[in-house]
Amino acid sequence: MDSSSSSSAAESSTTAGATTSPLLLGALISIDSKVSGHSSRVFFVASLVHLSASVFVDALTAEGKVVNLLIAFVWVWAAATSASRVLLGRHFVVDVFAGALLGILEGIFAFNFLKIEKFV
């Protein structure tokens, strides 16, 4: 009777550890793991803005400093949003990393597909 209760306690602590603490190395991959849509979207926007920097310089008729500040802000926003998904326990680190990579690839694809040259 003692061995069965100790084994069920060990199983419940393992399950609880995988779902409540995504920052632990052992909890990086889970059955409930899915790519972070938030990370994908914000890194898509950040990469598209970064690649379109010359268009923003022409459109804003401003110095490159303003555009560089905008680009830095967008990348910080993307990193902060992605970090919040992990810190809030909504995603694992691998989920957020995969979402970020997917978003960057989508941004590169969209930039090349749209061939953004200037605002009309």
Side-chain angles (χ1 to χ4, degrees), residues 7-8 12 17 22 27 29 34 36 39 41 54 63 65 70-71 78 85 88 91 101 104 106 111 115-116:
S7 107
S8 66
S12 65
I29 299 174
K34 56 190 172 290
S36 172
S39 295
R41 282 183 222 110
S54 63
E63 297 178 10
K65 292 179 184 179
L70 172 70
I71 291 170
R85 304 312 295 163
L88 291 172
H91 288 285
L101 287 178
I104 291 170
E106 289 170 343
F111 180 76
K115 296 186 189 243
I116 301 170

PDB file of all heavy atoms in Angstrom, residues 7-8 12 17 22 27 29 34 36 39 41 54 63 65 70-71 78 85 88 91 101 104 106 111 115-116:
ATOM      1  N   SER A   7       4.385   5.775  -5.511  1.00  0.00           N
ATOM      2  CA  SER A   7       4.544   5.827  -6.957  1.00  0.00           C
ATOM      3  C   SER A   7       3.551   6.802  -7.583  1.00  0.00           C
ATOM      4  O   SER A   7       3.879   7.525  -8.494  1.00  0.00           O
ATOM      5  CB  SER A   7       4.412   4.430  -7.552  1.00  0.00           C
ATOM      6  OG  SER A   7       3.230   4.247  -8.232  1.00  0.00           O
ATOM      7  N   SER A   8       2.318   6.870  -7.074  1.00  0.00           N
ATOM      8  CA  SER A   8       1.357   7.825  -7.616  1.00  0.00           C
ATOM      9  C   SER A   8       1.747   9.253  -7.253  1.00  0.00           C
ATOM     10  O   SER A   8       1.527  10.179  -8.023  1.00  0.00           O
ATOM     11  CB  SER A   8      -0.065   7.518  -7.141  1.00  0.00           C
ATOM     12  OG  SER A   8      -0.149   7.709  -5.739  1.00  0.00           O
ATOM     13  N   SER A  12       2.432  12.233 -10.060  1.00  0.00           N
ATOM     14  CA  SER A  12       1.752  13.513 -10.042  1.00  0.00           C
ATOM     15  C   SER A  12       2.736  14.667  -9.949  1.00  0.00           C
ATOM     16  O   SER A  12       2.532  15.711 -10.539  1.00  0.00           O
ATOM     17  CB  SER A  12       0.739  13.589  -8.898  1.00  0.00           C
ATOM     18  OG  SER A  12       1.409  13.543  -7.655  1.00  0.00           O
ATOM     19  N   GLY A  17       5.256  19.155 -12.548  1.00  0.00           N
ATOM     20  CA  GLY A  17       6.490  19.862 -12.884  1.00  0.00           C
ATOM     21  C   GLY A  17       6.556  20.219 -14.352  1.00  0.00           C
ATOM     22  O   GLY A  17       7.049  21.279 -14.717  1.00  0.00           O
ATOM     23  N   PRO A  22       7.723  25.743 -17.047  1.00  0.00           N
ATOM     24  CA  PRO A  22       8.263  25.550 -18.390  1.00  0.00           C
ATOM     25  C   PRO A  22       9.711  25.974 -18.550  1.00  0.00           C
ATOM     26  O   PRO A  22      10.321  25.691 -19.555  1.00  0.00           O
ATOM     27  CB  PRO A  22       7.348  26.403 -19.265  1.00  0.00           C
ATOM     28  CG  PRO A  22       6.777  27.402 -18.343  1.00  0.00           C
ATOM     29  CD  PRO A  22       6.698  26.752 -17.003  1.00  0.00           C
ATOM     30  N   ALA A  27      11.468  20.217 -18.913  1.00  0.00           N
ATOM     31  CA  ALA A  27      10.104  20.530 -19.320  1.00  0.00           C
ATOM     32  C   ALA A  27      10.057  21.264 -20.658  1.00  0.00           C
ATOM     33  O   ALA A  27       9.069  21.884 -20.985  1.00  0.00           O
ATOM     34  CB  ALA A  27       9.439  21.373 -18.245  1.00  0.00           C
ATOM     35  N   ILE A  29      10.047  20.005 -23.704  1.00  0.00           N
ATOM     36  CA  ILE A  29       9.216  19.326 -24.687  1.00  0.00           C
ATOM     37  C   ILE A  29       8.117  18.574 -23.954  1.00  0.00           C
ATOM     38  O   ILE A  29       8.365  17.889 -22.979  1.00  0.00           O
ATOM     39  CB  ILE A  29      10.051  18.353 -25.540  1.00  0.00           C
ATOM     40  CG1 ILE A  29      11.126  19.138 -26.282  1.00  0.00           C
ATOM     41  CG2 ILE A  29       9.170  17.599 -26.525  1.00  0.00           C
ATOM     42  CD1 ILE A  29      12.101  18.284 -27.031  1.00  0.00           C
ATOM     43  N   LYS A  34       2.996  23.421 -28.387  1.00  0.00           N
ATOM     44  CA  LYS A  34       2.547  23.940 -29.675  1.00  0.00           C
ATOM     45  C   LYS A  34       3.279  25.243 -29.957  1.00  0.00           C
ATOM     46  O   LYS A  34       3.677  25.964 -29.054  1.00  0.00           O
ATOM     47  CB  LYS A  34       1.047  24.144 -29.694  1.00  0.00           C
ATOM     48  CG  LYS A  34       0.516  25.038 -28.604  1.00  0.00           C
ATOM     49  CD  LYS A  34      -0.985  24.973 -28.555  1.00  0.00           C
ATOM     50  CE  LYS A  34      -1.521  25.700 -27.344  1.00  0.00           C
ATOM     51  NZ  LYS A  34      -1.273  25.074 -26.076  1.00  0.00           N
ATOM     52  N   SER A  36       4.139  28.954 -30.631  1.00  0.00           N
ATOM     53  CA  SER A  36       3.520  30.170 -30.115  1.00  0.00           C
ATOM     54  C   SER A  36       3.102  31.089 -31.261  1.00  0.00           C
ATOM     55  O   SER A  36       3.926  31.588 -32.020  1.00  0.00           O
ATOM     56  CB  SER A  36       4.504  30.895 -29.198  1.00  0.00           C
ATOM     57  OG  SER A  36       3.991  32.157 -28.835  1.00  0.00           O
ATOM     58  N   SER A  39       4.443  34.741 -30.653  1.00  0.00           N
ATOM     59  CA  SER A  39       5.834  34.914 -31.065  1.00  0.00           C
ATOM     60  C   SER A  39       5.952  34.962 -32.578  1.00  0.00           C
ATOM     61  O   SER A  39       6.707  35.767 -33.127  1.00  0.00           O
ATOM     62  CB  SER A  39       6.699  33.781 -30.525  1.00  0.00           C
ATOM     63  OG  SER A  39       6.737  33.830 -29.135  1.00  0.00           O
ATOM     64  N   ARG A  41       3.736  35.976 -34.764  1.00  0.00           N
ATOM     65  CA  ARG A  41       3.222  37.236 -35.302  1.00  0.00           C
ATOM     66  C   ARG A  41       4.140  38.418 -35.032  1.00  0.00           C
ATOM     67  O   ARG A  41       4.385  39.239 -35.909  1.00  0.00           O
ATOM     68  CB  ARG A  41       1.825  37.510 -34.743  1.00  0.00           C
ATOM     69  CG  ARG A  41       0.779  36.683 -35.430  1.00  0.00           C
ATOM     70  CD  ARG A  41      -0.620  37.003 -34.940  1.00  0.00           C
ATOM     71  NE  ARG A  41      -1.303  35.740 -34.785  1.00  0.00           N
ATOM     72  CZ  ARG A  41      -1.644  35.187 -33.628  1.00  0.00           C
ATOM     73  NH1 ARG A  41      -1.378  35.793 -32.514  1.00  0.00           N
ATOM     74  NH2 ARG A  41      -2.240  34.029 -33.588  1.00  0.00           N
ATOM     75  N   SER A  54      14.503  50.836 -45.549  1.00  0.00           N
ATOM     76  CA  SER A  54      14.741  51.879 -46.556  1.00  0.00           C
ATOM     77  C   SER A  54      13.438  52.513 -47.019  1.00  0.00           C
ATOM     78  O   SER A  54      13.390  53.709 -47.327  1.00  0.00           O
ATOM     79  CB  SER A  54      15.503  51.306 -47.744  1.00  0.00           C
ATOM     80  OG  SER A  54      14.744  50.306 -48.379  1.00  0.00           O
ATOM     81  N   GLU A  63      15.535  61.192 -40.836  1.00  0.00           N
ATOM     82  CA  GLU A  63      16.877  60.638 -40.764  1.00  0.00           C
ATOM     83  C   GLU A  63      16.809  59.151 -40.454  1.00  0.00           C
ATOM     84  O   GLU A  63      15.795  58.647 -39.987  1.00  0.00           O
ATOM     85  CB  GLU A  63      17.668  61.341 -39.665  1.00  0.00           C
ATOM     86  CG  GLU A  63      17.870  62.815 -39.907  1.00  0.00           C
ATOM     87  CD  GLU A  63      18.619  63.480 -38.755  1.00  0.00           C
ATOM     88  OE1 GLU A  63      19.135  62.756 -37.890  1.00  0.00           O
ATOM     89  OE2 GLU A  63      18.663  64.701 -38.746  1.00  0.00           O
ATOM     90  N   LYS A  65      18.150  57.793 -38.031  1.00  0.00           N
ATOM     91  CA  LYS A  65      18.095  57.588 -36.579  1.00  0.00           C
ATOM     92  C   LYS A  65      16.682  57.254 -36.121  1.00  0.00           C
ATOM     93  O   LYS A  65      16.487  56.400 -35.268  1.00  0.00           O
ATOM     94  CB  LYS A  65      18.598  58.825 -35.840  1.00  0.00           C
ATOM     95  CG  LYS A  65      20.068  59.084 -36.009  1.00  0.00           C
ATOM     96  CD  LYS A  65      20.492  60.340 -35.280  1.00  0.00           C
ATOM     97  CE  LYS A  65      21.953  60.635 -35.530  1.00  0.00           C
ATOM     98  NZ  LYS A  65      22.391  61.859 -34.863  1.00  0.00           N
ATOM     99  N   LEU A  70      12.860  53.039 -34.431  1.00  0.00           N
ATOM    100  CA  LEU A  70      11.635  52.274 -34.683  1.00  0.00           C
ATOM    101  C   LEU A  70      11.941  50.784 -34.804  1.00  0.00           C
ATOM    102  O   LEU A  70      11.249  49.944 -34.205  1.00  0.00           O
ATOM    103  CB  LEU A  70      10.947  52.774 -35.959  1.00  0.00           C
ATOM    104  CG  LEU A  70       9.757  51.950 -36.445  1.00  0.00           C
ATOM    105  CD1 LEU A  70       8.581  52.115 -35.496  1.00  0.00           C
ATOM    106  CD2 LEU A  70       9.385  52.352 -37.860  1.00  0.00           C
ATOM    107  N   ILE A  71      12.979  50.450 -35.543  1.00  0.00           N
ATOM    108  CA  ILE A  71      13.355  49.045 -35.727  1.00  0.00           C
ATOM    109  C   ILE A  71      13.770  48.422 -34.395  1.00  0.00           C
ATOM    110  O   ILE A  71      13.356  47.300 -34.062  1.00  0.00           O
ATOM    111  CB  ILE A  71      14.473  48.919 -36.776  1.00  0.00           C
ATOM    112  CG1 ILE A  71      13.920  49.264 -38.158  1.00  0.00           C
ATOM    113  CG2 ILE A  71      15.071  47.520 -36.781  1.00  0.00           C
ATOM    114  CD1 ILE A  71      14.978  49.406 -39.223  1.00  0.00           C
ATOM    115  N   ALA A  78       9.014  42.482 -29.817  1.00  0.00           N
ATOM    116  CA  ALA A  78       8.893  41.071 -30.181  1.00  0.00           C
ATOM    117  C   ALA A  78       9.527  40.176 -29.112  1.00  0.00           C
ATOM    118  O   ALA A  78       8.940  39.163 -28.702  1.00  0.00           O
ATOM    119  CB  ALA A  78       9.551  40.813 -31.535  1.00  0.00           C
ATOM    120  N   ARG A  85       5.287  35.057 -22.859  1.00  0.00           N
ATOM    121  CA  ARG A  85       4.561  33.789 -23.064  1.00  0.00           C
ATOM    122  C   ARG A  85       5.156  32.680 -22.208  1.00  0.00           C
ATOM    123  O   ARG A  85       4.442  31.835 -21.683  1.00  0.00           O
ATOM    124  CB  ARG A  85       4.575  33.380 -24.542  1.00  0.00           C
ATOM    125  CG  ARG A  85       4.024  34.408 -25.503  1.00  0.00           C
ATOM    126  CD  ARG A  85       2.697  34.987 -25.099  1.00  0.00           C
ATOM    127  NE  ARG A  85       1.651  33.989 -25.096  1.00  0.00           N
ATOM    128  CZ  ARG A  85       0.473  34.127 -24.490  1.00  0.00           C
ATOM    129  NH1 ARG A  85       0.186  35.216 -23.849  1.00  0.00           N
ATOM    130  NH2 ARG A  85      -0.410  33.162 -24.535  1.00  0.00           N
ATOM    131  N   LEU A  88       4.628  33.653 -18.284  1.00  0.00           N
ATOM    132  CA  LEU A  88       3.247  33.446 -17.852  1.00  0.00           C
ATOM    133  C   LEU A  88       2.859  31.966 -17.836  1.00  0.00           C
ATOM    134  O   LEU A  88       1.767  31.617 -17.414  1.00  0.00           O
ATOM    135  CB  LEU A  88       2.282  34.215 -18.752  1.00  0.00           C
ATOM    136  CG  LEU A  88       2.340  35.735 -18.631  1.00  0.00           C
ATOM    137  CD1 LEU A  88       1.479  36.383 -19.711  1.00  0.00           C
ATOM    138  CD2 LEU A  88       1.874  36.168 -17.249  1.00  0.00           C
ATOM    139  N   HIS A  91       3.531  28.920 -22.712  1.00  0.00           N
ATOM    140  CA  HIS A  91       4.300  28.152 -23.692  1.00  0.00           C
ATOM    141  C   HIS A  91       5.630  27.729 -23.091  1.00  0.00           C
ATOM    142  O   HIS A  91       6.119  28.333 -22.140  1.00  0.00           O
ATOM    143  CB  HIS A  91       4.581  28.981 -24.954  1.00  0.00           C
ATOM    144  CG  HIS A  91       3.387  29.202 -25.809  1.00  0.00           C
ATOM    145  ND1 HIS A  91       2.857  28.224 -26.616  1.00  0.00           N
ATOM    146  CD2 HIS A  91       2.621  30.290 -26.001  1.00  0.00           C
ATOM    147  CE1 HIS A  91       1.811  28.703 -27.257  1.00  0.00           C
ATOM    148  NE2 HIS A  91       1.647  29.959 -26.901  1.00  0.00           N
ATOM    149  N   LEU A 101      11.224  31.734 -35.018  1.00  0.00           N
ATOM    150  CA  LEU A 101      11.835  31.338 -36.293  1.00  0.00           C
ATOM    151  C   LEU A 101      10.808  31.326 -37.419  1.00  0.00           C
ATOM    152  O   LEU A 101      11.090  31.783 -38.529  1.00  0.00           O
ATOM    153  CB  LEU A 101      12.488  29.963 -36.170  1.00  0.00           C
ATOM    154  CG  LEU A 101      13.773  29.908 -35.364  1.00  0.00           C
ATOM    155  CD1 LEU A 101      14.276  28.473 -35.280  1.00  0.00           C
ATOM    156  CD2 LEU A 101      14.831  30.790 -35.979  1.00  0.00           C
ATOM    157  N   ILE A 104      10.061  34.938 -38.440  1.00  0.00           N
ATOM    158  CA  ILE A 104      11.135  35.540 -39.230  1.00  0.00           C
ATOM    159  C   ILE A 104      11.112  34.996 -40.660  1.00  0.00           C
ATOM    160  O   ILE A 104      11.253  35.754 -41.625  1.00  0.00           O
ATOM    161  CB  ILE A 104      12.497  35.308 -38.547  1.00  0.00           C
ATOM    162  CG1 ILE A 104      12.576  36.137 -37.263  1.00  0.00           C
ATOM    163  CG2 ILE A 104      13.649  35.653 -39.481  1.00  0.00           C
ATOM    164  CD1 ILE A 104      13.764  35.811 -36.384  1.00  0.00           C
ATOM    165  N   GLU A 106       8.494  33.847 -42.227  1.00  0.00           N
ATOM    166  CA  GLU A 106       7.325  34.435 -42.877  1.00  0.00           C
ATOM    167  C   GLU A 106       7.605  35.870 -43.303  1.00  0.00           C
ATOM    168  O   GLU A 106       7.170  36.307 -44.379  1.00  0.00           O
ATOM    169  CB  GLU A 106       6.131  34.419 -41.924  1.00  0.00           C
ATOM    170  CG  GLU A 106       5.573  33.050 -41.667  1.00  0.00           C
ATOM    171  CD  GLU A 106       4.544  33.042 -40.539  1.00  0.00           C
ATOM    172  OE1 GLU A 106       4.494  34.012 -39.749  1.00  0.00           O
ATOM    173  OE2 GLU A 106       3.804  32.060 -40.444  1.00  0.00           O
ATOM    174  N   PHE A 111       8.395  39.753 -47.511  1.00  0.00           N
ATOM    175  CA  PHE A 111       9.185  40.849 -48.072  1.00  0.00           C
ATOM    176  C   PHE A 111       9.589  40.543 -49.514  1.00  0.00           C
ATOM    177  O   PHE A 111       9.474  41.399 -50.397  1.00  0.00           O
ATOM    178  CB  PHE A 111      10.415  41.105 -47.219  1.00  0.00           C
ATOM    179  CG  PHE A 111      11.280  42.214 -47.725  1.00  0.00           C
ATOM    180  CD1 PHE A 111      10.911  43.534 -47.552  1.00  0.00           C
ATOM    181  CD2 PHE A 111      12.466  41.938 -48.387  1.00  0.00           C
ATOM    182  CE1 PHE A 111      11.700  44.570 -48.021  1.00  0.00           C
ATOM    183  CE2 PHE A 111      13.260  42.963 -48.865  1.00  0.00           C
ATOM    184  CZ  PHE A 111      12.884  44.282 -48.681  1.00  0.00           C
ATOM    185  N   LYS A 115       7.788  42.444 -52.639  1.00  0.00           N
ATOM    186  CA  LYS A 115       8.767  43.354 -53.247  1.00  0.00           C
ATOM    187  C   LYS A 115       8.433  44.802 -52.908  1.00  0.00           C
ATOM    188  O   LYS A 115       8.203  45.642 -53.779  1.00  0.00           O
ATOM    189  CB  LYS A 115       8.845  43.151 -54.741  1.00  0.00           C
ATOM    190  CG  LYS A 115       9.352  41.788 -55.100  1.00  0.00           C
ATOM    191  CD  LYS A 115       9.563  41.660 -56.585  1.00  0.00           C
ATOM    192  CE  LYS A 115       9.840  40.279 -56.897  1.00  0.00           C
ATOM    193  NZ  LYS A 115      10.624  39.508 -57.325  1.00  0.00           N
ATOM    194  N   ILE A 116       8.400  45.057 -51.613  1.00  0.00           N
ATOM    195  CA  ILE A 116       8.062  46.391 -51.127  1.00  0.00           C
ATOM    196  C   ILE A 116       9.173  47.362 -51.537  1.00  0.00           C
ATOM    197  O   ILE A 116      10.315  47.209 -51.167  1.00  0.00           O
ATOM    198  CB  ILE A 116       7.900  46.394 -49.592  1.00  0.00           C
ATOM    199  CG1 ILE A 116       6.802  45.421 -49.190  1.00  0.00           C
ATOM    200  CG2 ILE A 116       7.631  47.791 -49.075  1.00  0.00           C
ATOM    201  CD1 ILE A 116       6.719  45.174 -47.711  1.00  0.00           C
TER     202      ILE A 116
END
